[in-house]
Amino acid sequence: MVGASGRLGSRLVAACADRGVPVVLTATRTTWEDVPGTPPTVVIDASRGAVLPLTAAYCQRAGAALIACASDLDSEGIDAARALSAQVPVVQATNLSIGHWLQNRLTRSAASIMRRLPDPPVASVLERHTAAKRDRPSASARALAATWETASGVGEVTEVVSYRAGLAVSEHTLDLTFPCETVSLRHDVRDLGAAVFGALAAADWAHDAPVGFYLINDLFDRLLVEESP
């Protein structure tokens, strides 16, 4: 677990302990601690985006799969993740919650219908995080806007608005505005526990997955829809 002392990383370490999942490497901003002779098979990076190239280099040496959870990845971090994916499975997880995946899936479904209308709705995205959130708009908000734009084919989202205030953790809303009505798809997260299932499901899948680069929403599509009984 890289970023093990952070809000998300510490929560995931505790969840692993509760579920009997061994954590054989923890890394913070200043230290890397591992269990000698027990290299990890999957590394979850829950730190800042600037750390990802270092994590990718470690995964390359260890032959470990990577779950990249930082929301502020820059081009260097994305390039490092994609380069690593030629050797091991890499999952880019902009948002680990099932609610975020479901919101994006509903957005794709709505878009497929709306593009058939003579007057498609005007789309906008509003997101809120606490004041501690550094990047804006958030990666989740940008991803939601991109989902609508790609699936609808009716033009760009008119506004992606963010503000930093309030209680933990976040809200993301897609508004679809018609001439006389508005439909809102809202995802509200009140606890970082929402990330636990997604993180552990992605790590379990990546443990013996084929080499390649995967997006978390595509992975959830596979695990929760395509492979469901």
Side-chain angles (χ1 to χ4, degrees):
M1 186 72 65
V2 179
S5 63
R7 290 197 310 146
L8 176 57
S10 60
R11 189 63 177 266
L12 295 178
V13 169
C16 287
D18 290 343
R19 291 161 172 76
V21 178
V23 178
V24 298
L25 165 74
T26 58
T28 67
R29 293 181 180 178
T30 57
T31 61
W32 286 64
E33 299 180 1
D34 60 354
V35 177
T38 312
T41 59
V42 180
V43 173
I44 299 177
D45 188 331
S47 63
R48 302 293 300 173
V51 178
L52 190 64
L54 297 175
T55 305
Y58 175 87
C59 290
Q60 183 178 29
R61 295 192 301 271
L66 171 64
I67 314 298
C69 304
S71 64
D72 61 342
L73 285 181
D74 57 16
S75 57
E76 182 182 1
I78 293 173
D79 289 346
R82 287 198 173 274
L84 177 65
S85 71
Q87 302 177 41
V88 300
V90 174
V91 178
Q92 183 181 349
T94 299
N95 189 310
L96 288 161
S97 80
I98 291 299
H100 175 74
W101 164 76
L102 180 57
Q103 184 184 38
N104 275 266
R105 190 171 177 87
L106 291 172
T107 297
R108 295 200 303 268
S109 296
S112 68
I113 298 169
M114 295 304 117
R115 66 187 177 194
R116 303 173 189 172
L117 298 177
D119 296 307
V122 175
S124 60
V125 173
L126 172 66
E127 62 101 352
R128 182 202 66 81
H129 283 82
T130 64
K133 180 74 170 177
R134 299 180 188 180
D135 54 312
R136 68 166 68 197
S138 68
S140 297
R142 298 195 303 272
L144 184 60
T147 295
W148 171 263
E149 291 169 354
T150 300
S152 69
V154 297
E156 296 183 356
V157 168
T158 58
E159 291 278 356
V160 180
V161 180
S162 62
Y163 67 102
R164 299 290 174 260
L167 302 174
V169 173
S170 65
E171 295 124 31
H172 297 85
T173 303
L174 172 71
D175 282 336
L176 303 176
T177 301
F178 297 86
C180 301
E181 58 189 333
T182 296
V183 174
S184 296
L185 296 176
R186 183 170 180 263
H187 178 219
D188 184 353
V189 178
R190 286 286 167 255
D191 190 280
L192 284 175
V196 169
F197 172 83
L200 297 187
D204 182 63
W205 178 84
H207 175 75
D208 56 1
V211 168
F213 186 85
Y214 306 91
L215 298 177
I216 190 70
N217 281 343
D218 294 338
L219 177 56
F220 285 160
D221 281 344
R222 178 181 302 189
L223 296 179
L224 301 176
V225 180
E226 298 169 10
E227 296 180 4
S228 296

